[in-house]
């Protein structure tokens, strides 16, 4: 199969223009993607240097914004129906406090259908028939501050364009955005809280469970041996 580029025009935009579009197209799904100086965005160690914004009603145009981003822009984004590939990452990278609908995460949808498949846009795009612009080396190295907008924008716009087409495909086959999307994000939010503050272990209950399981292991080993199963088999393996 011959891969075709995902057609998209990128515009080096002013925030005022994008804010006006977000107000005018309120309620429409908006594709976002960020380019950051690293992956540790949850604790604020790394942050978004660039933001790509693409409206699903106009998937051929991607607006490129460079940090810093105003509180007004963040507020408009927080009140929009955001769509992203690994959307939680972008929400953290932008420091958004969401007030609108839960984001639609195209990566979570892929995971829901196949937990073992590769989920990056680099892997997904060819399966959809599109070529993909490789991730620039400086972005991989966290050195995005050394790059110009003209160097970042084509890659960022390409990511947004592929995500838009993936979103359209998922909606076509799975139906419109539903309560399941809220469940997805609530689950992700719960995981994020556990990652941030840790998990409380009830040590006494855990120890009691260990005793119970140990007895079951002994019983299971005896049953396996009675069936002639190799005694060297590691039944502790998941």
């Amino acid at each position: 199969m011959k891969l075709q580029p995902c057609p998209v025009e990128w515009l080096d935009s002013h925030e005022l223009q994008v804010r006006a579009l977000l107000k005018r197209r309120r309620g429409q799904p908006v594709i976002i993607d960020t380019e950051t100086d690293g992956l540790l965005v949850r604790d604020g160690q790394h942050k978004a240097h660039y933001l790509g914004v693409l409206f699903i009603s106009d998937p051929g145009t991607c607006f490129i914004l460079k940090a810093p981003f105003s509180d007004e822009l963040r507020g408009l984004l927080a009140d929009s129906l955001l769509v992203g590939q690994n959307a939680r990452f972008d929400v953290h990278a932008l420091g958004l406090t969401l007030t609108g609908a839960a984001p639609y995460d195209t990566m979570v949808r892929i995971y829901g259908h196949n937990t073992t498949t590769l989920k990056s846009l680099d892997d997904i795009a060819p399966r959809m028939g599109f070529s993909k612009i490789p991730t620039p080396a400086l972005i991989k190295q966290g050195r995005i501050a050394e790059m110009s907008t003209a160097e970042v924008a084509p890659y960022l716009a390409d990511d947004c364009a592929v995500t838009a087409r993936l979103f359209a495909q998922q909606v076509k086959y799975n139906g419109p955005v539903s309560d399941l999307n809220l469940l997805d994000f609530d689950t992700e939010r719960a995981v994020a809280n556990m990652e941030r503050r840790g998990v409380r272990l009830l040590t006494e209950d855990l120890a009691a469970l260990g005793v119970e399981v140990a007895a079951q292991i002994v019983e299971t080993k005896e049953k396996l041996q009675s069936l002639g199963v190799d005694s060297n088999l590691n039944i502790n393996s998941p």
Side-chain angles (χ1 to χ4, degrees), residues 41 50 61 70 122 139 212 224:
V41 294
Y50 287 89
T61 303
S70 71
D122 288 345
I139 290 181
E212 181 182 341
L224 288 171

Side-chain angles (χ1 to χ4, degrees), residues 203-220:
T203 54
E204 292 183 2
D205 291 347
L206 193 61
L209 181 62
V211 172
E212 181 182 341
V213 171
Q216 291 177 0
I217 290 174
V218 172
E219 181 182 352
T220 302

Side-chain angles (χ1 to χ4, degrees), residues 168-182:
Q169 183 184 81
Q170 290 179 351
V171 170
K172 177 182 177 181
Y173 289 103
N174 300 328
V177 177
S178 65
D179 290 342
L180 181 60
N181 193 55
L182 177 60

Side-chain angles (χ1 to χ4, degrees), residues 3 24 30 69 114 124 136:
L3 301 179
R24 190 183 315 151
V30 55
F69 310 113
N114 189 333
I124 294 165

Side-chain angles (χ1 to χ4, degrees), residues 31-137:
I31 311 293
I32 65 166
D33 191 26
T34 59
E35 298 303 336
T36 68
D37 52 359
L39 300 178
L40 303 178
V41 294
R42 185 177 296 110
D43 59 6
Q45 183 173 335
H46 298 137
K47 60 184 179 180
H49 284 239
Y50 287 89
L51 167 66
V53 178
L54 184 153
F55 293 92
I56 199 66
S57 57
D58 182 17
T61 303
C62 185
F63 302 92
I64 305 295
L65 297 176
K66 186 175 182 179
F69 310 113
S70 71
D71 289 340
E72 183 179 355
L73 175 67
R74 294 177 200 274
L76 288 167
L77 289 170
D79 195 42
S80 300
L81 173 55
L82 302 179
V83 178
Q85 176 77 355
N86 194 8
R88 185 177 65 176
F89 180 90
D90 298 313
V91 168
H92 283 302
L94 292 166
L96 301 183
T97 301
L98 298 177
T99 56
Y104 183 104
D105 194 329
T106 51
M107 181 181 283
V108 171
R109 277 291 182 274
I110 294 169
Y111 184 86
H113 284 282
N114 189 333
T115 59
T116 60
T117 190
L118 297 174
K119 301 170 185 66
S120 75
L121 289 178
D122 288 345
D123 297 302
I124 294 165
R127 299 203 294 263
M128 297 173 63
F130 293 113
S131 59
K132 186 75 190 67
I133 296 176
T135 306

